[in-house]
Amino acid sequence: MTDETDRPAALPTWTDAIRRLREMAAQTTAAAQAVAVAGAKATPPALAQPLARYADQLLSVSAAVTTPLRRLLE
């Protein structure tokens, strides 16, 4: 008698995998934005501009990943 727990789980399709990756990238973007907003309120003026440039670069990297994934899914 075969137990159902012995069956391998169904593998997700490539679109499922890309969709999950896009969701993780969106969560990362949201977290980076939240950190940027919170950091802007507590950052000394001397660090504000370098941190703003860094946050902008992080958002650019996130967009570089999510934009092609979004196009693939559409």
Side-chain angles (χ1 to χ4, degrees):
M1 182 173 246
T2 304
D3 189 3
E4 287 189 22
T5 58
D6 291 338
R7 276 191 225 163
L11 294 175
T13 64
W14 70 272
T15 55
D16 291 336
I18 290 175
R19 185 172 290 113
R20 289 178 187 167
L21 184 59
R22 184 183 71 171
E23 290 169 359
M24 286 190 324
Q27 291 173 355
T28 301
T29 299
Q33 289 172 339
V35 167
V37 170
K41 293 177 182 176
T43 302
L47 292 176
Q49 196 63 23
L51 287 175
R53 284 194 304 269
Y54 178 69
D56 188 47
Q57 290 171 348
L58 285 177
L59 292 174
S60 295
V61 168
S62 178
V65 171
T66 57
T67 300
L69 292 175
R70 188 177 310 126
R71 288 184 184 149
L72 276 174
L73 289 173
E74 291 172 353

